[in-house]
PDB file of all heavy atoms in Angstrom:
ATOM      1  N   ARG A  26     -33.096 -40.317  61.441  1.00 98.00           N
ATOM      2  CA  ARG A  26     -34.216 -40.279  62.395  1.00 98.00           C
ATOM      3  C   ARG A  26     -34.964 -41.593  62.518  1.00 98.00           C
ATOM      4  O   ARG A  26     -35.936 -41.678  63.234  1.00 98.00           O
ATOM      5  CB  ARG A  26     -35.159 -39.166  61.981  1.00 98.00           C
ATOM      6  CG  ARG A  26     -34.621 -37.712  62.030  1.00 98.00           C
ATOM      7  CD  ARG A  26     -35.577 -36.759  61.379  1.00 98.00           C
ATOM      8  NE  ARG A  26     -36.947 -36.922  61.851  1.00 98.00           N
ATOM      9  CZ  ARG A  26     -38.012 -36.598  61.233  1.00 98.00           C
ATOM     10  NH1 ARG A  26     -37.937 -36.043  60.019  1.00 98.00           N
ATOM     11  NH2 ARG A  26     -39.246 -36.753  61.732  1.00 98.00           N
ATOM     12  N   THR A  27     -34.488 -42.580  61.825  1.00 98.00           N
ATOM     13  CA  THR A  27     -35.347 -43.763  61.738  1.00 98.00           C
ATOM     14  C   THR A  27     -35.320 -44.715  62.958  1.00 98.00           C
ATOM     15  O   THR A  27     -36.181 -45.553  63.112  1.00 98.00           O
ATOM     16  CB  THR A  27     -34.887 -44.705  60.523  1.00 98.00           C
ATOM     17  OG1 THR A  27     -33.524 -45.022  60.694  1.00 98.00           O
ATOM     18  CG2 THR A  27     -35.089 -43.920  59.239  1.00 98.00           C
ATOM     19  N   ALA A  28     -34.411 -44.415  63.887  1.00 98.00           N
ATOM     20  CA  ALA A  28     -34.407 -45.210  65.079  1.00 98.00           C
ATOM     21  C   ALA A  28     -35.496 -44.676  66.084  1.00 98.00           C
ATOM     22  O   ALA A  28     -35.799 -45.399  67.078  1.00 98.00           O
ATOM     23  CB  ALA A  28     -33.058 -45.164  65.801  1.00 98.00           C
ATOM     24  N   GLU A  29     -36.020 -43.487  65.835  1.00 98.00           N
ATOM     25  CA  GLU A  29     -37.101 -42.950  66.755  1.00 98.00           C
ATOM     26  C   GLU A  29     -38.395 -42.722  65.989  1.00 98.00           C
ATOM     27  O   GLU A  29     -39.455 -42.723  66.630  1.00 98.00           O
ATOM     28  CB  GLU A  29     -36.602 -41.590  67.340  1.00 98.00           C
ATOM     29  CG  GLU A  29     -35.356 -41.694  68.224  1.00 98.00           C
ATOM     30  CD  GLU A  29     -34.077 -41.681  67.438  1.00 98.00           C
ATOM     31  OE1 GLU A  29     -34.062 -41.128  66.260  1.00 98.00           O
ATOM     32  OE2 GLU A  29     -33.107 -42.223  67.889  1.00 98.00           O
ATOM     33  N   ALA A  30     -38.368 -42.481  64.708  1.00 98.00           N
ATOM     34  CA  ALA A  30     -39.589 -42.087  64.006  1.00 98.00           C
ATOM     35  C   ALA A  30     -40.413 -43.390  63.700  1.00 98.00           C
ATOM     36  O   ALA A  30     -39.985 -44.327  62.988  1.00 98.00           O
ATOM     37  CB  ALA A  30     -39.187 -41.434  62.686  1.00 98.00           C
ATOM     38  N   VAL A  31     -41.635 -43.413  64.295  1.00 98.00           N
ATOM     39  CA  VAL A  31     -42.496 -44.591  64.156  1.00 98.00           C
ATOM     40  C   VAL A  31     -43.008 -44.638  62.709  1.00 98.00           C
ATOM     41  O   VAL A  31     -43.310 -43.679  62.066  1.00 98.00           O
ATOM     42  CB  VAL A  31     -43.665 -44.442  65.073  1.00 98.00           C
ATOM     43  CG1 VAL A  31     -44.667 -45.603  64.841  1.00 98.00           C
ATOM     44  CG2 VAL A  31     -43.185 -44.467  66.542  1.00 98.00           C
ATOM     45  N   LEU A  32     -42.973 -45.857  62.183  1.00 98.00           N
ATOM     46  CA  LEU A  32     -43.472 -46.093  60.826  1.00 98.00           C
ATOM     47  C   LEU A  32     -44.970 -45.760  60.687  1.00 98.00           C
ATOM     48  O   LEU A  32     -45.725 -46.022  61.565  1.00 98.00           O
ATOM     49  CB  LEU A  32     -43.268 -47.543  60.377  1.00 98.00           C
ATOM     50  CG  LEU A  32     -41.788 -47.945  60.032  1.00 98.00           C
ATOM     51  CD1 LEU A  32     -41.651 -49.414  59.985  1.00 98.00           C
ATOM     52  CD2 LEU A  32     -41.447 -47.326  58.658  1.00 98.00           C
ATOM     53  N   PRO A  33     -45.338 -45.167  59.562  1.00 98.00           N
ATOM     54  CA  PRO A  33     -46.813 -44.938  59.353  1.00 98.00           C
ATOM     55  C   PRO A  33     -47.580 -46.228  59.335  1.00 98.00           C
ATOM     56  O   PRO A  33     -47.154 -47.255  58.867  1.00 98.00           O
ATOM     57  CB  PRO A  33     -46.882 -44.250  58.000  1.00 98.00           C
ATOM     58  CG  PRO A  33     -45.589 -44.627  57.265  1.00 98.00           C
ATOM     59  CD  PRO A  33     -44.585 -44.819  58.362  1.00 98.00           C
ATOM     60  N   GLY A  34     -48.759 -46.138  59.981  1.00 98.00           N
ATOM     61  CA  GLY A  34     -49.592 -47.317  60.092  1.00 98.00           C
ATOM     62  C   GLY A  34     -49.216 -48.341  61.093  1.00 98.00           C
ATOM     63  O   GLY A  34     -49.929 -49.384  61.235  1.00 98.00           O
ATOM     64  N   ALA A  35     -48.122 -48.147  61.848  1.00 98.00           N
ATOM     65  CA  ALA A  35     -47.578 -49.124  62.769  1.00 98.00           C
ATOM     66  C   ALA A  35     -48.567 -49.630  63.746  1.00 98.00           C
ATOM     67  O   ALA A  35     -48.543 -50.772  64.158  1.00 98.00           O
ATOM     68  CB  ALA A  35     -46.293 -48.630  63.402  1.00 98.00           C
ATOM     69  N   SER A  36     -49.458 -48.754  64.212  1.00 97.00           N
ATOM     70  CA  SER A  36     -50.411 -49.125  65.189  1.00 97.00           C
ATOM     71  C   SER A  36     -51.742 -49.778  64.691  1.00 97.00           C
ATOM     72  O   SER A  36     -52.621 -50.121  65.435  1.00 97.00           O
ATOM     73  CB  SER A  36     -50.794 -47.893  66.031  1.00 97.00           C
ATOM     74  OG  SER A  36     -51.456 -46.909  65.209  1.00 97.00           O
ATOM     75  N   ASP A  37     -51.842 -49.832  63.335  1.00 97.00           N
ATOM     76  CA  ASP A  37     -53.096 -50.241  62.701  1.00 97.00           C
ATOM     77  C   ASP A  37     -52.812 -51.312  61.605  1.00 97.00           C
ATOM     78  O   ASP A  37     -52.392 -50.968  60.490  1.00 97.00           O
ATOM     79  CB  ASP A  37     -53.803 -49.050  62.083  1.00 97.00           C
ATOM     80  CG  ASP A  37     -55.123 -49.322  61.508  1.00 97.00           C
ATOM     81  OD1 ASP A  37     -55.567 -50.526  61.431  1.00 97.00           O
ATOM     82  OD2 ASP A  37     -55.847 -48.364  61.054  1.00 97.00           O
ATOM     83  N   PRO A  38     -53.048 -52.585  61.876  1.00 97.00           N
ATOM     84  CA  PRO A  38     -52.834 -53.604  60.929  1.00 97.00           C
ATOM     85  C   PRO A  38     -53.614 -53.381  59.614  1.00 97.00           C
ATOM     86  O   PRO A  38     -53.057 -53.712  58.476  1.00 97.00           O
ATOM     87  CB  PRO A  38     -53.276 -54.853  61.565  1.00 97.00           C
ATOM     88  CG  PRO A  38     -53.258 -54.620  63.054  1.00 97.00           C
ATOM     89  CD  PRO A  38     -53.544 -53.123  63.183  1.00 97.00           C
ATOM     90  N   ALA A  39     -54.800 -52.848  59.681  1.00 96.00           N
ATOM     91  CA  ALA A  39     -55.581 -52.626  58.472  1.00 96.00           C
ATOM     92  C   ALA A  39     -54.937 -51.587  57.579  1.00 96.00           C
ATOM     93  O   ALA A  39     -54.902 -51.733  56.341  1.00 96.00           O
ATOM     94  CB  ALA A  39     -56.992 -52.197  58.808  1.00 96.00           C
ATOM     95  N   GLU A  40     -54.420 -50.520  58.149  1.00 97.00           N
ATOM     96  CA  GLU A  40     -53.727 -49.497  57.378  1.00 97.00           C
ATOM     97  C   GLU A  40     -52.448 -50.089  56.739  1.00 97.00           C
ATOM     98  O   GLU A  40     -52.147 -49.805  55.568  1.00 97.00           O
ATOM     99  CB  GLU A  40     -53.395 -48.280  58.240  1.00 97.00           C
ATOM    100  CG  GLU A  40     -52.759 -47.157  57.459  1.00 97.00           C
ATOM    101  CD  GLU A  40     -52.497 -45.894  58.252  1.00 97.00           C
ATOM    102  OE1 GLU A  40     -52.741 -45.922  59.489  1.00 97.00           O
ATOM    103  OE2 GLU A  40     -52.055 -44.851  57.651  1.00 97.00           O
ATOM    104  N   LEU A  41     -51.675 -50.903  57.522  1.00 97.00           N
ATOM    105  CA  LEU A  41     -50.515 -51.520  56.966  1.00 97.00           C
ATOM    106  C   LEU A  41     -50.877 -52.429  55.783  1.00 97.00           C
ATOM    107  O   LEU A  41     -50.198 -52.430  54.762  1.00 97.00           O
ATOM    108  CB  LEU A  41     -49.775 -52.365  58.051  1.00 97.00           C
ATOM    109  CG  LEU A  41     -49.083 -51.552  59.167  1.00 97.00           C
ATOM    110  CD1 LEU A  41     -48.657 -52.482  60.238  1.00 97.00           C
ATOM    111  CD2 LEU A  41     -47.898 -50.809  58.615  1.00 97.00           C
ATOM    112  N   ASN A  42     -51.963 -53.118  55.890  1.00 97.00           N
ATOM    113  CA  ASN A  42     -52.368 -54.007  54.826  1.00 97.00           C
ATOM    114  C   ASN A  42     -52.781 -53.205  53.552  1.00 97.00           C
ATOM    115  O   ASN A  42     -52.606 -53.648  52.425  1.00 97.00           O
ATOM    116  CB  ASN A  42     -53.536 -54.958  55.240  1.00 97.00           C
ATOM    117  CG  ASN A  42     -53.018 -55.946  56.262  1.00 97.00           C
ATOM    118  OD1 ASN A  42     -51.826 -56.146  56.471  1.00 97.00           O
ATOM    119  ND2 ASN A  42     -53.976 -56.563  56.955  1.00 97.00           N
ATOM    120  N   GLU A  43     -53.360 -51.999  53.808  1.00 97.00           N
ATOM    121  CA  GLU A  43     -53.677 -51.112  52.677  1.00 97.00           C
ATOM    122  C   GLU A  43     -52.389 -50.687  51.956  1.00 97.00           C
ATOM    123  O   GLU A  43     -52.353 -50.602  50.713  1.00 97.00           O
ATOM    124  CB  GLU A  43     -54.468 -49.929  53.158  1.00 97.00           C
ATOM    125  CG  GLU A  43     -55.902 -50.272  53.619  1.00 97.00           C
ATOM    126  CD  GLU A  43     -56.586 -49.086  54.196  1.00 97.00           C
ATOM    127  OE1 GLU A  43     -55.970 -47.942  54.208  1.00 97.00           O
ATOM    128  OE2 GLU A  43     -57.748 -49.221  54.640  1.00 97.00           O
ATOM    129  N   PHE A  44     -51.365 -50.395  52.720  1.00 98.00           N
ATOM    130  CA  PHE A  44     -50.071 -50.025  52.121  1.00 98.00           C
ATOM    131  C   PHE A  44     -49.524 -51.238  51.266  1.00 98.00           C
ATOM    132  O   PHE A  44     -49.018 -51.030  50.210  1.00 98.00           O
ATOM    133  CB  PHE A  44     -49.040 -49.705  53.158  1.00 98.00           C
ATOM    134  CG  PHE A  44     -49.299 -48.424  53.933  1.00 98.00           C
ATOM    135  CD1 PHE A  44     -48.764 -48.303  55.259  1.00 98.00           C
ATOM    136  CD2 PHE A  44     -50.038 -47.420  53.386  1.00 98.00           C
ATOM    137  CE1 PHE A  44     -48.966 -47.118  56.000  1.00 98.00           C
ATOM    138  CE2 PHE A  44     -50.292 -46.243  54.134  1.00 98.00           C
ATOM    139  CZ  PHE A  44     -49.728 -46.131  55.418  1.00 98.00           C
ATOM    140  N   VAL A  45     -49.688 -52.456  51.829  1.00 97.00           N
ATOM    141  CA  VAL A  45     -49.176 -53.624  51.044  1.00 97.00           C
ATOM    142  C   VAL A  45     -49.898 -53.723  49.699  1.00 97.00           C
ATOM    143  O   VAL A  45     -49.253 -53.984  48.697  1.00 97.00           O
ATOM    144  CB  VAL A  45     -49.457 -54.860  51.887  1.00 97.00           C
ATOM    145  CG1 VAL A  45     -49.176 -56.135  51.086  1.00 97.00           C
ATOM    146  CG2 VAL A  45     -48.535 -54.894  53.194  1.00 97.00           C
ATOM    147  N   SER A  46     -51.206 -53.490  49.685  1.00 97.00           N
ATOM    148  CA  SER A  46     -51.975 -53.505  48.444  1.00 97.00           C
ATOM    149  C   SER A  46     -51.467 -52.427  47.517  1.00 97.00           C
ATOM    150  O   SER A  46     -51.325 -52.621  46.312  1.00 97.00           O
ATOM    151  CB  SER A  46     -53.430 -53.405  48.705  1.00 97.00           C
ATOM    152  OG  SER A  46     -53.892 -54.543  49.426  1.00 97.00           O
ATOM    153  N   ALA A  47     -51.323 -51.205  48.097  1.00 97.00           N
ATOM    154  CA  ALA A  47     -50.966 -50.044  47.220  1.00 97.00           C
ATOM    155  C   ALA A  47     -49.645 -50.245  46.553  1.00 97.00           C
ATOM    156  O   ALA A  47     -49.455 -49.770  45.431  1.00 97.00           O
ATOM    157  CB  ALA A  47     -51.022 -48.801  48.077  1.00 97.00           C
ATOM    158  N   TYR A  48     -48.689 -50.936  47.211  1.00 97.00           N
ATOM    159  CA  TYR A  48     -47.362 -51.045  46.651  1.00 97.00           C
ATOM    160  C   TYR A  48     -47.112 -52.492  46.077  1.00 97.00           C
ATOM    161  O   TYR A  48     -45.938 -52.818  45.805  1.00 97.00           O
ATOM    162  CB  TYR A  48     -46.250 -50.699  47.710  1.00 97.00           C
ATOM    163  CG  TYR A  48     -46.359 -49.259  48.068  1.00 97.00           C
ATOM    164  CD1 TYR A  48     -46.876 -48.831  49.302  1.00 97.00           C
ATOM    165  CD2 TYR A  48     -45.854 -48.259  47.200  1.00 97.00           C
ATOM    166  CE1 TYR A  48     -46.912 -47.491  49.661  1.00 97.00           C
ATOM    167  CE2 TYR A  48     -45.942 -46.941  47.503  1.00 97.00           C
ATOM    168  CZ  TYR A  48     -46.475 -46.571  48.744  1.00 97.00           C
ATOM    169  OH  TYR A  48     -46.521 -45.204  49.137  1.00 97.00           O
ATOM    170  N   ASP A  49     -48.169 -53.200  45.942  1.00 96.00           N
ATOM    171  CA  ASP A  49     -48.041 -54.588  45.379  1.00 96.00           C
ATOM    172  C   ASP A  49     -46.960 -55.384  46.120  1.00 96.00           C
ATOM    173  O   ASP A  49     -46.044 -55.987  45.555  1.00 96.00           O
ATOM    174  CB  ASP A  49     -47.782 -54.555  43.930  1.00 96.00           C
ATOM    175  CG  ASP A  49     -47.900 -55.921  43.270  1.00 96.00           C
ATOM    176  OD1 ASP A  49     -48.556 -56.797  43.842  1.00 96.00           O
ATOM    177  OD2 ASP A  49     -47.353 -56.060  42.186  1.00 96.00           O
TER     178      ASP A  49
END
């Protein structure tokens, strides 16, 4: 399903950056 399922946080740079911090 990955060719259609949008990644979480894709529309929000701040949320993506929070993921980056959470997973080092």
Side-chain angles (χ1 to χ4, degrees):
R26 295 172 48 204
T27 58
E29 297 84 26
V31 175
L32 284 164
S36 63
D37 185 354
E40 185 176 3
L41 289 170
N42 292 347
E43 289 174 2
F44 293 155
V45 171
S46 295
Y48 294 105
D49 190 20

